[in-house]
Amino acid sequence: MPLEEGKDPAVTSRQNQAKNLPFRVLQLFGLFLALCLAFSVVSIYTIRHFGIYNVVTTVNSSIVPCEEELNGLERWVKPPSNLLHNMSDKELFWRASLVPRIKMYPFKRVPKIAFMFLTKGPMPLAPLWERFFKGYEGLYSIYIHSLPSFEGKFRSTSVFHGRQIPSQVAEWGKMSMCDAERRLLANALLDISNEWFILLSESCIPLYNFNFIYHYIKKSKYSFVGAFDDPGPFGRGRYNLNMAPEVIITQWRKGSQWFEINRKLAINLVADSTYYPKFEQFCKPACYVDEHYFPTMLTIQAADLLANRSITWVDWSRGGAHPATFGGADISDGFFRRIFKGRNCTYNNRPSSVCYLFARKFAPSALEPLLNLAPKVLGF
């Protein structure tokens, strides 16, 4: 537009800006009020529907990982507080196989025994085990591998509460059984204080008190794995020539499924990728892989570390594919005398009459008699 005659353009521009300034301030102020109102509405809605404590917890939880990263060594030393992780077996085995190169621990490490229970579901003898563990907190860890569908309803004060690990179906005599055992070992290895690993079932009982068993295992030079050369049809007769060259027939071993091993051997079993494929492919019923995989592999890798015997007593005298099961009517002083007496084995290369620390198989009906006899016979 043409300028009015006699008016300065600069003056006119300043006057227009002065007139528009209050309007712009009002616009900005209105936008600010709208944002505040929107934030208030969202906050009120969130608190009403989710609760103020949940909102606070959500905000705080986003900061926790940063704090854990700053804790340094503690994040490696402290065992997992929740065993129900979402790692696959492949991820779990990789994580569990990590080994420090420096042997001296830069913290006070109290070695523990990992008691690993391979079960179908319920733990009917749990009251006996709870009495066994009482007073020895800090010297043991517990892990339970059950059927995936089983939900353990242990009371919050039980030593078994929250000790189930992520599991899969394990079938007797098949590779899935060894998978379950490796899964137990891998989860137990995540606690760096676990030094010894014992595989048990829900039908097992301890034959001595905790203190005796702890020191027996601690002072042993060897791990207790049954591994022997059976030339018959149930030993070498199960060998498949396709196992070679990784496993030749003179290395083929048989042994009990129930073992006790140290941390070094546990890592070997979890980290194995050499022998596993061979056993998975060529040891199928009537080759029962849980009787051959671990004994054969450990004999090849570390024969000098094995005691070549199991510390879990079973009774095969009744014949059949499974050992005898004992109920309430079987439990007596005489029954345990038969287990304890007349036994001969070696312990640290010396003769010993203490050959078994655990026994199986005991039915739920055996619980009450066992609880009654335990103080006098079992020492707890």
Side-chain angles (χ1 to χ4, degrees):
M1 294 178 60
L3 295 176
E4 293 183 17
E5 187 176 351
K7 288 195 176 178
D8 187 351
V11 173
T12 303
S13 176
R14 285 195 296 270
Q15 289 175 346
N16 290 336
Q17 288 178 354
K19 291 178 181 179
N20 291 335
L21 184 61
F23 180 73
R24 288 180 182 177
V25 171
L26 288 174
Q27 280 185 318
L28 290 173
F29 183 71
L31 180 61
F32 176 76
L33 287 178
L35 288 174
C36 290
L37 181 61
F39 179 80
S40 300
V41 170
V42 170
S43 299
I44 294 170
Y45 177 85
T46 303
I47 292 172
R48 282 185 178 178
H49 284 77
F50 300 102
I52 188 168
Y53 294 107
N54 286 343
V55 173
V56 172
T57 302
T58 303
V59 173
N60 289 340
S61 65
S62 64
I63 302 174
V64 170
C66 296
E67 293 178 350
E68 289 180 350
E69 289 292 333
L70 297 176
N71 282 339
L73 189 64
E74 185 180 5
R75 65 188 293 262
W76 297 99
V77 174
K78 189 176 180 181
S81 58
N82 185 1
L83 298 184
L84 296 179
H85 55 75
N86 59 2
M87 286 185 284
S88 66
D89 280 355
K90 185 177 181 180
E91 295 168 334
L92 172 65
F93 294 166
W94 177 85
R95 172 64 182 86
S97 65
L98 299 180
V99 182
R101 297 289 296 275
I102 299 176
K103 301 302 180 183
M104 297 296 293
Y105 293 95
F107 60 94
K108 184 179 179 181
R109 178 180 182 262
V110 178
K112 298 190 295 187
I113 299 177
F115 290 82
M116 308 180 303
F117 291 88
L118 181 59
T119 79
K120 290 182 178 180
M123 297 280 293
L125 303 178
L128 182 71
W129 281 101
E130 288 175 346
R131 186 187 291 183
F132 167 80
F133 287 120
K134 187 175 182 181
Y136 293 96
E137 294 76 12
L139 295 178
Y140 67 87
S141 301
I142 295 174
Y143 303 86
I144 302 173
H145 186 292
S146 62
L147 290 174
S149 58
F150 174 73
E151 294 184 11
K153 296 181 180 179
F154 302 103
R155 65 182 188 279
S156 59
T157 56
S158 171
V159 295
F160 296 103
H161 177 72
R163 303 312 298 175
Q164 283 181 258
I165 66 168
S167 62
Q168 297 180 29
V169 174
E171 298 180 83
W172 177 72
K174 296 185 179 181
M175 200 62 179
S176 60
M177 185 68 73
C178 293
D179 291 337
E181 295 170 14
R182 295 176 80 206
R183 205 171 290 125
L184 279 164
L185 286 169
N187 278 278
L189 282 167
L190 297 182
D191 184 344
I192 200 167
S193 292
N194 286 332
E195 183 62 28
W196 308 284
F197 305 79
I198 302 175
L199 182 66
L200 302 158
S201 75
E202 75 276 11
S203 67
C204 286
I205 66 167
L207 293 175
Y208 296 91
N209 61 48
F210 184 94
N211 187 62
F212 182 92
I213 290 177
Y214 182 87
H215 286 92
Y216 188 98
I217 291 173
K218 180 180 180 180
K219 294 178 181 179
S220 176
K221 299 177 182 178
Y222 306 101
S223 289
F224 296 96
V225 179
F228 60 94
D229 184 5
D230 179 0
F234 303 114
R236 288 197 180 192
R238 295 174 176 174
Y239 175 79
N240 188 320
L241 290 173
N242 290 304
M243 301 289 288
E246 287 79 7
V247 180
I248 59 177
I249 193 167
T250 56
Q251 297 171 321
W252 186 255
R253 294 293 184 269
K254 181 180 179 180
S256 170
Q257 176 186 7
W258 313 103
F259 60 76
E260 179 277 325
I261 56 177
N262 63 21
R263 190 172 184 89
K264 177 180 180 344
L265 298 184
I267 292 171
N268 285 1
L269 291 180
V270 166
D272 173 48
S273 60
T274 301
Y275 304 99
Y276 182 94
K278 288 287 186 175
F279 279 90
E280 182 182 34
Q281 187 173 0
F282 299 115
C283 184
K284 297 180 179 180
C287 175
Y288 299 106
V289 68
D290 53 285
E291 295 180 3
H292 297 282
Y293 174 35
F294 291 171
T296 299
M297 176 191 158
L298 292 179
T299 297
I300 295 172
Q301 291 189 338
D304 59 323
L305 299 180
L306 305 183
N308 287 331
R309 67 180 178 90
S310 174
I311 50 174
T312 300
W313 177 86
V314 291
D315 182 4
W316 291 96
S317 62
R318 300 180 187 178
H322 301 281
T325 299
F326 303 100
D330 297 301
I331 309 305
S332 65
D333 288 348
F335 173 81
F336 284 103
R337 280 196 296 269
R338 290 194 298 274
I339 297 177
F340 292 132
K341 292 186 178 180
R343 305 292 171 187
N344 294 296
C345 60
T346 59
Y347 176 74
N348 290 340
N349 302 317
R350 294 182 179 182
S352 175
S353 60
V354 180
C355 302
Y356 299 108
L357 303 182
F358 307 94
R360 63 184 302 266
K361 300 170 59 175
F362 292 86
S365 62
L367 177 61
E368 288 303 322
L370 286 170
L371 288 172
N372 293 333
L373 278 176
K376 175 177 138 182
V377 177
L378 306 180
F380 61 89

